[in-house]
Amino acid sequence: MWDIIITSLPEMVGAMLQFTIPLAVISFILGLILAVLTALIKFIEPSENKAIRYPYLLLRGIANFYVWLFRSTPLLVQLFIIFFGLPSIGVQLPAFTAAVIGFSLNTGAYASETIRSALLSVPQDQWDAAYTLNFSTRQTLMKIVLPQAVRIALPPLSNSFIGLVKDTSLASSITILEMFQVSQQITAKNYQPLLMYTLAAALYAIVCSLLSWLQHYLEHRTSKYVKGSEA
Amino acid sequence: MISMKNIIKKYDGKTVLNDISVDFPSGKTSVILGPSGSGKSTLLRSLDLLVRPESGSVSFPDLSVNYAEPISKKDSFSLRRKTSMVFQNWNLFPNLTVLDNITAAPITVLKTSKADAEKEARSLLRQVGLEGLEKRYPSQLSGGQQQRISICRALAINPEYILLDEPTSALDPELETQVLKILEKLANEGQSMIIVTHNMEFARLVADKIVFIEDGNKVFDGETKDFFENPTPRIKDFLSGISLEAEN
Ligand SMILES: Nc1ncnc2c1ncn2[C@@H]1O[C@H](COP(=O)(O)OP(=O)(O)OP(=O)(O)O)[C@@H](O)[C@H]1O
Ligand SMILES: [Mg+2]
């Protein structure tokens, strides 16, 4: 048993470092940027100035549609449409690019709701206090509201990231040789499905545990002002 | 002097401020009294555009704003520049230290240098007896300390008027006294203030003028002495109502 593990481990760890982790990290960063933008578009009330108001409302309509679309369809189907479907209208994407696009859009849709609800959970009192001191809306967001919202959003966003690491296994279905796909290939040769898939599970668990640890560290760092925290 | 004229504010068709006109003299302490829900906070918050009345105007010797018309960014800035609000629950910024709470607006809004803002903040903290707490976060302090810090925060932008909406209602009597002493000192120094309070003893002590509001109408506007010594039957009712509540 040990020799099987020792011979297959380098290949699996390699696939993890080459595909699983880059896919998760790149998609999460892009997804997060998309999520913040989408959340702000839905959160900030349109100005009364007509020249800005209507384009802004259109943008908001697009944001709503995007979030609805990606939350109401399965991730696997989204990946299939992007990778296998789009070529029929002439859009041929490399598998890795298609996967990044799919994972980013999917993560962005969910995370935008997390961030929006975190923004909403900062009390109106904080806006009042900032406005009475003559902060602009942008200054209030940047200095007062977003820092508080980030702390609130951190645990659910960490959840999304951990979920994303595991979901990268779906990329195997669009031809990417990520870690799970490699474990399947090795199984086809050595006929040890229990061992190989358990090994894959263990590798996911190790990465996700490291991420949980990182989450606790960040939570601690950002919570130093919260009542009851000893920092 | 602040002159508010014909202020009308409605919420869902219900009139909350019914054509109120009132002056708040400069260098003096004006106290707004009235039963719960009468519109005191709404009136005070209109001054800082935290509430936007449907119509009416507010004017200073060098600034006039009509609520019924669109208010330019510049006018809204000037209006908020003249006043600064202290809230019932102090509303300090929990993510900032005490020092940063006080210096945030001078640095961000007034572009004061960090060094000058911090020097000023330390001097304000000394005046309210809280030097040494600069590095703490609001959650590590008592309500009374937090409210004194929020008074420093309001003073740090050098507003002409400080607006206080029931600044001690959320405090235990002992902590209340600490805060009231500071307000009394500010009043004696000639700081222009408008205070909404339910503390009659304090109102009597510091008010240069009293405005009494009921159901969105101004019922009394005059000298403190007249209010307490020659009350109309309605004001008499109100005053005894308050004292009965206090005995319960
Ligand atoms: N945002 C709002 N939406 C709807 N109604 C409101 C709102 N704010 C205040 N009101 C109503 O307006 C009236 C006046 O409220 P306001 O807060 O000014 O009273 P107040 O005199 O400050 O009372 P209190 O002494 O309890 O603080 C009340 O009837 C209140 O219910
Ligand atoms: Mg009130």
Side-chain angles (χ1 to χ4, degrees), chain B residues 35-42 45 88 165-166 196 198:
Chain B
S36 186
S38 57
K40 306 179 296 292
S41 298
T42 307
R45 292 163 68 87
Q88 179 170 353
D165 192 356
E166 303 195 30
V196 173
H198 286 291

Side-chain angles (χ1 to χ4, degrees), chain A residues 125-126 128-135 139 143-144 147-148 224-227 231, chain B residues 45 48 77 80-81 83-85 87 91-95 105 108-109 137 139 153:
Chain A
D125 286 358
Q126 293 287 305
D128 288 349
Y131 283 150
T132 195
L133 296 168
N134 241 326
F135 280 68
Q139 290 167 334
K143 305 228 163 211
I144 309 300
Q148 294 180 48
K224 55 185 185 293
Y225 61 80
V226 177
K227 198 157 200 134
Chain B
R45 292 163 68 87
D48 223 7
F77 189 91
R80 283 186 173 149
R81 187 68 193 85
T83 58
S84 187
M85 182 92 98
F87 300 88
N91 303 6
L92 290 177
F93 305 126
N95 55 318
T108 311
V109 178
Y137 284 92
S139 64
R153 181 176 71 173

Side-chain angles (χ1 to χ4, degrees), chain A residues 33-141:
Chain A
I33 294 170
L34 198 58
V36 170
L37 291 176
T38 308
L40 287 177
I41 288 168
K42 292 174 105 183
F43 178 75
I44 298 171
E45 285 308 315
S47 118
E48 283 170 28
N49 179 344
K50 287 213 173 72
I52 315 174
R53 187 181 177 87
Y54 293 107
Y56 186 81
L57 287 177
L58 179 69
L59 204 60
R60 190 182 265 193
I62 295 171
N64 283 328
F65 176 74
Y66 154 60
V67 172
W68 167 80
L69 186 67
F70 279 83
R71 293 210 310 167
S72 1
T73 53
L75 175 55
L76 188 58
V77 176
Q78 293 162 14
L79 290 173
F80 269 50
I81 290 177
I82 295 169
F83 184 68
F84 296 117
L86 291 186
S88 2
I89 54 162
V91 184
Q92 187 109 39
L93 297 165
F96 192 81
T97 312
V100 166
I101 292 175
F103 288 128
S104 305
L105 288 171
N106 190 273
T107 305
Y110 280 95
S112 75
E113 288 299 280
T114 304
I115 293 169
R116 193 173 68 93
S117 74
L119 287 169
L120 284 170
S121 68
V122 175
Q124 178 63 35
D125 286 358
Q126 293 287 305
W127 289 90
D128 288 349
Y131 283 150
T132 195
L133 296 168
N134 241 326
F135 280 68
S136 65
T137 300
R138 198 172 56 82
Q139 290 167 334
T140 308
L141 260 177

Side-chain angles (χ1 to χ4, degrees), chain A residues 5 10 29 53 64 72 82 134 152 167 172 184 193 204 209 222:
Chain A
I5 293 180
I29 291 171
R53 187 181 177 87
N64 283 328
S72 1
I82 295 169
N134 241 326
I152 297 166
D167 283 346
S172 64
Q184 281 175 295
Y204 282 116
S209 306
T222 52

